Amino acid sequence: MAADRRSKADTLALRQRLISSSCRLFFPEDPVKIVRAQGQYMYDEQGAEYIDCINNVAHVGHCHPVVVRAAHEQNQVLNTNSRYLHDNIVDYAQRLSETLPEPLCVFYFLNSGSEANDLALRLARHYTGHQDVVVLDHAYHGHLSSLIDISPYKFRNLDGQKEWVHVAPLPDTYRGPYREDHPNPAVAYANEVKRVVSSAQEKGRKIAAFFAESLPSVGGQIIPPAGYFSQVAEHIHKAGGVFVADEIQVGFGRVGKHFWAFQLQGKDFVPDIVTMGKSIGNGHPVACVATTQPVARAFEATGVEYFNTFGGSPVSCAVGLAVLNVLEKEQLQAHATSVGSFLMELLRQQKIKHPIVGDVRGVGLFIGVDLIKDEATRTPATEEAAYLVSRHGREGAKLPDAEAPALS
Ligand SMILES: Cc1ncc(COP(=O)(O)O)c(C=O)c1O
């Protein structure tokens, strides 16, 4: 197969003609044309090599031979749907269950993170008999209509907040109302959720679920203070709702110390529903919802089948199993800890040198650098951040130095 069939300019022109401009490109002024990738490297049509620091899907490395082989071998034998009895789906569910706390023992397989969160919403509503959702500010949980509605990051630019959605502040100890000098930010931020729940209840609303990424990524690489989730779960359970942990970006050992990011919150914390996607299939469309027996039983009691044409196919499950095997064999969870610590150390050295670096925070390979205009106000240095992303994202970025904002 030819690596590059047409010039970059021709590809761009065709794309502009045929693909909706709502589907955006990275570096739109001069997009990168990537023609192959291996491990942590990507290559453009000229053969230039890029280290891929932004991919949250190619979890065990681009085109990992074990994963590619697993898909190929299963494709040669059988690929069908989950209505037929097959070993792969049960092997895979069993392997996933070994990574999770015992109560999370019922699995559904799907094709995308959005499908997983949409099913989580349905499960929560059936189990609780309630409709409403509490979400964290700036969150993104997927592109389906149901999820745009619970994603402040999106709905603020569309038709706004629905009456069944309630937004709690991000537990951000760098820029939020309770910061690193607060005696108990976990309790303070959880009390904000309690306040949001109470104010919804005063209007006669009933809470079905609290949705949060275990580490809010879209909201700015936030590390919630330990103990926050247990406190929130208490308030949500009291209101009759369930706790949904979105692990779509942060699961599968990315945080190094633990396999699941919600485990950073302490041994005693167990969500009622966990959603998985992105890295689960290393690029193959796989997603999963794990939940407890009581939640699953309530959904089953409706008598309505859950059928997903591609979810849980023998090929998808073979791929998922291969990803778990690679994670284990190559000890990638420990690797995330050591590479992440090394990177954080380098970034902290930059913070000492450059006042624009306000905060360096992270765990494992979930790392954020918060650029600020001013130490006292911690005002985000938005233009400078955009400039850095385009300048350091690739050589020859378009913004000429004369137009660049001053970085110090
Ligand atoms: C936290 C989070 N949840 C859900 C999704 C939706 O996943 P998908 O794009 O696979 O539907 C995303 C995608 O970016 C995400 O970042």
Side-chain angles (χ1 to χ4, degrees), residues 112-114 117 140-143 213 217-218 246 248-249 278:
S112 69
S114 297
N117 279 336
Y140 175 66
H141 291 294
H143 60 78
E213 277 194 90
S217 64
V218 180
D246 179 334
I248 288 160
Q249 285 217 28
K278 290 194 187 272

Side-chain angles (χ1 to χ4, degrees), residues 27 32 50-51 387-395 397:
F27 315 112
V32 199
Y50 299 79
I51 185 158
Y387 171 68
L388 271 182
V389 167
S390 80
R391 184 185 168 92
H392 291 281
R394 49 187 312 243
E395 229 181 75

Side-chain angles (χ1 to χ4, degrees), residues 74-390:
Q74 185 57 50
N75 256 320
Q76 287 179 308
V77 180
L78 173 75
N79 195 20
T80 181
N81 67 61
S82 64
R83 278 183 176 141
Y84 297 97
L85 201 55
H86 195 276
D87 280 332
N88 286 8
I89 191 168
V90 289
D91 286 344
Y92 190 32
Q94 193 164 36
R95 282 286 295 282
L96 285 173
S97 75
E98 286 159 12
T99 69
L100 286 160
E102 225 176 295
L104 294 163
C105 60
V106 186
F107 296 86
Y108 306 81
F109 292 104
L110 323 89
N111 308 294
S112 69
S114 297
E115 282 193 2
N117 279 336
D118 184 68
L119 177 61
L121 183 57
R122 289 180 65 195
L123 291 173
R125 284 176 165 167
H126 278 289
Y127 177 64
T128 62
H130 299 169
Q131 286 299 306
D132 288 22
V133 173
V134 179
V135 284
L136 292 178
D137 207 356
H138 305 289
Y140 175 66
H141 291 294
H143 60 78
L144 301 183
S145 309
S146 58
L147 306 171
I148 296 297
D149 284 345
I150 64 163
S151 299
Y153 169 69
K154 293 282 177 188
F155 70 60
R156 293 240 159 85
N157 298 321
L158 292 165
D159 44 2
Q161 189 170 337
K162 299 271 157 57
E163 72 289 354
W164 54 271
V165 178
H166 313 283
V167 180
L170 266 176
D172 175 358
T173 53
Y174 182 66
R175 196 175 275 114
Y178 314 111
R179 298 190 175 180
E180 65 280 0
D181 55 356
H182 190 280
N184 199 339
V187 168
Y189 279 114
N191 281 340
E192 291 289 330
V193 174
K194 188 178 172 195
R195 182 184 55 76
V196 167
V197 168
S198 304
S199 115
Q201 286 172 328
E202 277 160 24
K203 292 180 205 132
R205 312 292 321 181
K206 291 186 173 151
I207 307 300
F210 173 81
F211 268 74
E213 277 194 90
S214 299
L215 293 172
S217 64
V218 180
Q221 306 290 105
I222 304 298
I223 321 276
Y228 168 70
F229 278 2
S230 322
Q231 294 279 326
V232 169
E234 235 180 272
H235 301 315
I236 294 297
H237 287 156
K238 218 181 219 166
V242 297
F243 192 114
V244 181
D246 179 334
E247 290 270 340
I248 288 160
Q249 285 217 28
V250 294
F252 292 91
R254 179 174 171 187
V255 300
K257 229 179 186 167
H258 299 284
F259 198 79
W260 300 107
F262 70 77
Q263 292 168 319
L264 291 164
Q265 289 284 317
K267 268 214 254 345
D268 297 338
F269 173 69
V270 179
D272 302 290
I273 301 177
V274 172
T275 58
M276 312 165 200
K278 290 194 187 272
S279 56
I280 186 174
N282 211 51
H284 187 87
V286 188
C288 177
V289 174
T291 192
T292 61
Q293 289 282 0
V295 172
R297 295 294 91 94
F299 194 56
E300 289 157 13
T302 63
V304 175
E305 178 190 18
Y306 180 75
F307 178 63
N308 188 316
T309 302
F310 303 121
S313 76
V315 170
S316 291
C317 293
V319 166
L321 277 163
V323 170
L324 293 179
N325 288 340
V326 174
L327 277 170
E328 206 173 289
K329 184 141 182 270
E330 299 184 8
Q331 298 177 25
L332 294 182
Q333 198 178 315
H335 191 66
T337 299
S338 57
V339 176
S341 307
F342 177 68
L343 179 55
M344 290 270 287
E345 184 43 42
L346 296 181
L347 292 168
R348 285 194 187 110
Q349 288 168 19
Q350 297 303 311
K351 176 169 156 50
I352 294 166
K353 285 195 257 171
H354 304 289
I356 192 171
V357 180
D359 192 27
V360 172
R361 54 181 176 260
V363 43
L365 280 171
F366 177 89
I367 296 172
V369 179
D370 207 321
L371 301 186
I372 51 168
K373 287 194 191 295
D374 172 72
E375 175 54 42
T377 59
R378 297 184 177 177
T379 309
T382 309
E383 300 78 32
E384 291 84 347
Y387 171 68
L388 271 182
V389 167
S390 80

Side-chain angles (χ1 to χ4, degrees), residues 387 398-406:
Y387 171 68
K398 280 297 160 209
L399 194 58
D401 279 338
E403 289 173 31

